[in-house]
Structures are given as C-alpha cells and as structure tokens.
C-alpha cells in the first residue's frame, strides 16, 4: 500500500460523558474506496463527524496527507480537501438548489468539479436549479448534497448513510454515479446500512460495533458469516 | 390636510426607524443574537460623527466616510472578541453581555462627552424643505427616507445576490454544515456585525442631524428598532421598512391627537400588531 492518505490513531470520541468511539486505528490509501458498516449506534456517524472536524480531537488522532488535523475546525479541514455528505442531506433550506451547490464551491479549491460537471452528473438538478432545496424529493436532495460536496473539489469524500431513506430506483442512480465520481482519483469512505451495496463499490470494509472496529478486511476476503457476526456481535 | 401632513411626516420618520431596525434585524437573522446595546451603538456612532465633524471640520455626511468603517471595525472586533463567545444553545448569555455592553457604552459616553445634549451641524439641509401638493417636506427627512430605502435594498442585494449573503443564510440555517463548506462561522458573524454597525453608523449620523442626543437615549432607539422589526416580521428586511413606517405614522398621528400621546401611540400600534399577528405583518416565507 502506498503512503496512507488518512490515518486514525487511537481515535476516541465523546458526547459529554458518553464515549462513542474507543481507540480506533485505521488507515486509507489515496484512491481507495472503503465501506464503513455497522448497526445503528455503532459510531459510524461519529467517525464521519470526527474526521470532518465537527468533533474536536487530539491533534495526532487524525492524520491527513501527513498533517495532524484532529484539532482543526471543520472549515479548516474542508479547505484541506475533505468533504462530507452528511446523514440526512442537511441542505440549506434558505438557499436554492444552485445556491446550495455554489456554497459547496466556497472552499475555493481548484479541481475538475464545477456547476457544469455536477449538472452533467445529475441533469435533474439543472432543471430544478432555481427551486428551494427543500422542495425536492429525498433522492434529488441527496444528489444536491453529493454535488455540494463535490463542488469543494475534495480529495477525500465521506458519504454518511448515502442511501438511507431513499427509494430503490434513486439508490441505483446514486450508486451508478459513484464510479464516475471516484474515478477522478478521489478517495472515498462510504457509510452504508445496505451491506451488499457498500461491498459492491468498495475495496475494503470496516465494520464498527459499539465504537470499536469489529472486523476489517478486503471486500473479497470477508465472508458473509464474518460480517453477520461483526454486525450483530453474535456468531452466525 | 393636517392629517395627511402628519401621515407623510410619519412615513418619513419611519425611514429613520427602519435604519435603527435594519442592523438589529440582520444580526438576529444571521446569528439569533438580540443585541441590547444596539441603541447605544447608534448613539456612539452619533458621537463619533460629532467628534469627526468637530475635529476635521467635515459635514456630518462626509463624516460617514470615517464613522462607517470605524463602526464596522468596532463591530468585527466586538463580535470576534466578545460576542462569539456568548453564542450557543442558551440565549441568556448574549442578552446579559450586550446589556452590560449597553451600560459600559453609556457610561463611557457620559465620561467623554458629558450629559449635555448635542447635535450634529447639518447646515442648510436641516431647514431646507420642498413643497409637494401643499405638504411641506423637510429635505433631511426625505433624504433619510431615501437612504433607508437604499440601505435596505443594498442589504437585500447582499443577502440574496452575493456570495457573502449565501454565507450569511447558510450559517443562519445550519452552523455545523456551513462550517463543512469552509465557512468559519466566527468570521461570518464578525462580518455580519461589521455590516450591521456600518448601517448603525448611517442611522446614528442621521439621528444626530435630525434631533439632539445625549448618552442616555440609546435605550429608546433600541425599543423603536425592536418595534419596527417585530411589526414588519422577523427576518424580512422590506418588512422592517414597513414596520418602521407604521411605527412612525402611529407616533405622528398620536402626537396630532395629543402631543403627549406620541410615544404611547407607537407602543399601542406595536402591541396591536403583536396581538393580532404575533409573527409580524410580513414574516419571512420559508420556501
């Protein structure tokens, strides 16, 4: 494996007295697509929030391209090239579809992604560009959320619950678009409830359980039984 | 004719109230901060205008070239140095801190400028008037009204047509997600306060040319600003102008009935709107 793009070293996360992550160690190489799976409450979203800077940490708990970023603010992390597609889309209701996309580009990083390229990826968004973002269907909102993250021209993109609550046809559209996104050399972490979907696009998988990594391996090496055991904490 | 005259004068007065209110509305809209010191900041701007006109011999309108950037700078430093630390899920700390700030500004002005009423020398513009259809309108109130419209149109443009405004709206919608877009909310809030206090500078100078002021009158201007914002509807800048006009008209019509009735009539108009339309007359419509 080449030099890791992202390395987590003994990453803990707390919400007040509650500890959500326990000493996570993990590393990802540039260009990899990894899937993060696990039951509700396993710590997947907390992991995304930690990496993106929404939860503050020890500086050296997260290293990105050789730089300690654990203690940086989310806006500083974004400028380094890490973008998050948050759980539940979280579009800005006061902004139109196009404004939501444009604010994603506010980070000001150079790169291939532009409004034009996002509209080419999701043509429906161009038709709806002047509409309020909240007037779109859930699937279209997810497209805006993905487009908004891409507009930042990230090198590492984090998808939190990419298909949660979406219709199967929409999920297929989004998964069809993924290879085009990551083929630009982008590194991706995909948090997903749908294990089959997650494994279909990723080269490695990490399964979290109660804030710890219960299973990790190359996608082709892990067995269904192992995943079931790690996911539910029982032997299948 | 007297009544129409009172109505027109009230509308023009409303322009000044809209200027008091615009900064308040902007700050509340962007960061949910209720700035109790807003009125005192208006008076501070009037005094800074006074010092500038006295020291440099400038007309108050030219003094704006100095007072506006100065107030904007004070706003940015104040926000980043103090007010950002008070913002959070609890709404009480910003209220207490801006209340304290209000007391500090009043006393600092009292120490520096004494309690004597002062006025900005507007020159001929103060007494100049135009006659339209039998109604005499002062040039200064007319100009104030035009400036109020221009300021609100400008703020509206910034809010809805510029990258800065998108940042304001995004941070207002969801601070965490806005941070993910590379927006440092501490800086965005600082810029919003700078913009609000630039508007406060305009309001303070126009107030100082229209009427005499002393360090203690900030509280009253705060109330007028609040009333205009709430009558117009929270988060709607044009509504704030309408709110200012309604308040101004209520006051001048009240004064027409009985001179002692002026302020009370404004407060009654405010209470009636609050009772009938608690969200104001023109609340912001969420898309």
């Amino acid at each position: 494996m080449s030099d890791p793009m992202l390395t987590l070293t003994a990453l803990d996360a707390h919400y007040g007295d509650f500890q959500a992550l326990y000493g996570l160690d993990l590393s990802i190489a540039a260009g990899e697509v990894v899937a993060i799976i696990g039951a509700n409450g396993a710590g997947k979203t907390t992991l995304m929030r930690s990496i993106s800077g929404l939860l503050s940490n020890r500086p050296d708990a997260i290293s990105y391209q050789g730089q300690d970023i654990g203690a940086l603010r989310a806006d500083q992390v974004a400028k380094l090239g890490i973008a998050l597609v948050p759980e539940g889309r979280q579009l800005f209701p006061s902004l139109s579809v196009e404004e939501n996309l444009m604010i994603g580009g506010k980070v000001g990083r150079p790169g291939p992604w532009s409004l034009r390229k996002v509209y080419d990826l999701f043509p429906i968004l161009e038709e709806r560009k002047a509409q309020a973002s909240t007037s779109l269907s859930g699937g279209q909102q997810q497209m805006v959320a993905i487009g908004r993250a891409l507009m930042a021209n990230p090198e590492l993109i984090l998808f939190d619950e990419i298909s949660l609550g979406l219709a199967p046809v929409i999920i297929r559209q989004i998964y069809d678009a993924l290879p085009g996104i990551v083929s630009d050399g982008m590194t991706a972490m995909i948090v997903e409830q749908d294990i089959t979907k997650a494994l279909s696009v990723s080269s490695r998988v990490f399964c979290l359980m109660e804030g710890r990594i219960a299973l990790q391996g190359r996608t082709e090496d892990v067995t269904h039984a192992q995943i079931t055991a790690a996911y539910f904490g029982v032997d299948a | 004719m007297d009544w129409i005259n009172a109505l027109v004068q009230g509308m023009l007065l409303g322009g000044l109230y809209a200027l008091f209110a615009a900064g308040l509305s902007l700050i509340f809209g962007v960061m949910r901060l209720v700035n109790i010191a807003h009125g005192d900041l208006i008076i501070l701007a009037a005094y800074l205008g006074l010092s500038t006109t006295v020291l440099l011999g400038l007309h108050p309108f030219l003094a704006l070239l100095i007072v506006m950037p100065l107030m904007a700078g004070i706003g940015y430093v104040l926000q980043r140095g103090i007010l950002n630390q008070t913002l959070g899920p609890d709404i009480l700390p910003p209220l207490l801190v801006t209340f304290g700030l209000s007391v500090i500004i009043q006393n600092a002005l009292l120490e520096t400028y004494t309690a004597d009423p002062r006025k900005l020398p507007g020159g001929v513009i103060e007494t100049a008037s135009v006659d339209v259809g039998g109604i005499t309108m002062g040039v200064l109130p007319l100009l104030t009204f035009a400036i109020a419209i221009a300021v609100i149109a400008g703020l509206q443009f910034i809010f809805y047509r510029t990258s800065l405004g998108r940042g304001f709206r995004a941070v207002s919608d969801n601070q965490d997600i806005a941070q993910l877009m590379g927006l440092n909310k501490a800086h965005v809030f600082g810029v919003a306060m700078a913009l609000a206090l630039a508007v406060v500078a305009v309001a303070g100078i126009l107030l100082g040319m229209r009427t005499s002021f002393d360090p203690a009158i900030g509280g009253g201007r705060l109330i007028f600003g609040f009333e205009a914002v709430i009558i117009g509807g929270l988060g709607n800048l044009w509504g704030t102008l309408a709110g200012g006009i309604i308040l101004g008209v209520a006051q001048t019509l009240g004064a027409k009935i009985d001179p002692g009735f002026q302020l009370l009539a404004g407060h009654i108009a405010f209470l009636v709107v609050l009772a009938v339309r608690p969200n104001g007359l023109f609340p912001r419509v969420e898309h």
Side-chain angles (χ1 to χ4, degrees), chain A residues 66-204:
Chain A
Q67 185 182 350
D68 288 342
I69 63 161
L72 296 186
R73 293 190 312 265
D75 55 300
Q76 296 169 315
V77 172
K79 292 196 167 93
L80 293 174
I82 298 180
L84 169 67
V85 180
E87 181 182 6
R89 277 78 78 181
Q90 309 247 29
L91 302 184
F92 299 110
S94 311
L95 272 59
S96 70
V97 168
E98 184 154 289
E99 285 179 323
N100 265 283
L101 294 174
M102 283 165 77
I103 205 155
K106 185 108 180 160
V107 172
R109 291 172 53 83
W113 287 96
S114 60
L115 266 183
R116 182 68 264 144
K117 205 171 162 199
V118 171
Y119 288 149
D120 288 344
L121 182 68
F122 300 120
I124 184 75
L125 298 188
E126 187 165 24
E127 289 171 35
R128 304 280 159 90
K129 66 180 178 185
Q131 285 187 18
S133 51
T134 44
S135 70
L136 302 186
S137 70
Q140 290 163 354
Q141 289 192 23
Q142 182 66 291
M143 292 173 191
V144 178
I146 293 172
R148 184 178 66 178
L150 291 173
M151 287 289 288
N153 279 300
E155 289 175 64
L156 170 62
I157 187 164
L158 314 170
F159 297 97
D160 194 3
E161 300 290 8
I162 191 169
S163 65
L164 189 68
L166 301 181
V169 58
I170 301 289
I171 297 176
R172 198 173 318 125
Q173 270 184 36
I174 285 175
Y175 270 91
D176 284 349
L178 272 183
I181 295 170
V182 292
S183 70
D184 284 330
M186 214 180 273
T187 309
M189 283 178 96
I190 301 176
V191 167
E192 179 58 284
Q193 298 271 359
D194 183 334
I195 299 169
T196 317
K197 279 265 186 281
L199 297 186
S200 73
V201 292
S202 56
S203 57
R204 278 199 300 154

Side-chain angles (χ1 to χ4, degrees), chain B residues 61-246:
Chain B
F61 278 129
L62 282 176
L64 268 178
L65 294 177
I66 291 169
V67 178
M68 266 178 86
L70 194 58
M71 288 300 290
I74 290 172
Y76 189 84
V77 171
L78 186 65
Q79 186 67 40
R80 295 220 52 174
I82 298 173
L83 298 178
N84 274 343
Q85 277 64 266
T86 70
L87 295 173
D90 189 354
I91 60 161
L92 207 52
L95 283 177
L96 291 176
V97 168
T98 54
F99 181 72
L101 196 62
S102 156
V103 174
I104 291 169
I105 293 172
Q106 280 187 36
N107 282 284
L109 290 176
L110 201 58
E111 285 295 319
T112 315
Y113 294 98
T114 78
D116 296 341
R118 307 299 292 268
K119 198 166 172 307
L120 293 180
V124 288
I125 199 173
E126 284 179 29
T127 48
S129 63
V130 290
D131 200 88
V132 180
I135 293 170
T136 307
M137 287 183 278
V139 169
L140 185 60
L142 265 177
L143 208 56
T144 303
F145 192 76
I147 290 172
I149 290 176
V151 163
I152 285 174
L155 289 178
Q156 191 81 6
F157 178 82
I158 290 173
F159 244 73
Y160 292 100
R161 294 280 178 271
T162 68
S163 167
L164 179 66
R166 275 199 296 282
F168 285 159
R169 285 180 287 146
V171 172
S172 166
D173 279 349
N174 189 328
Q175 296 184 9
D176 273 358
I177 304 298
Q179 293 262 111
L180 289 176
M181 306 296 124
L183 292 165
N184 177 4
K185 69 181 177 191
H187 174 71
V188 174
F189 288 166
V191 173
M193 187 57 89
L195 189 60
L197 290 206
V199 174
V200 157
V202 177
I205 298 275
L206 288 168
L207 167 82
M209 276 196 287
R210 183 186 175 101
T211 153
S212 61
F213 54 92
D214 64 68
I217 68 162
R221 308 320 102 176
L222 173 71
I223 298 291
F224 294 160
F226 266 141
E227 290 182 343
V229 170
I230 292 177
I231 291 172
L234 279 176
N236 180 343
L237 284 165
W238 288 117
T240 297
L241 178 66
I245 290 173
I246 289 169

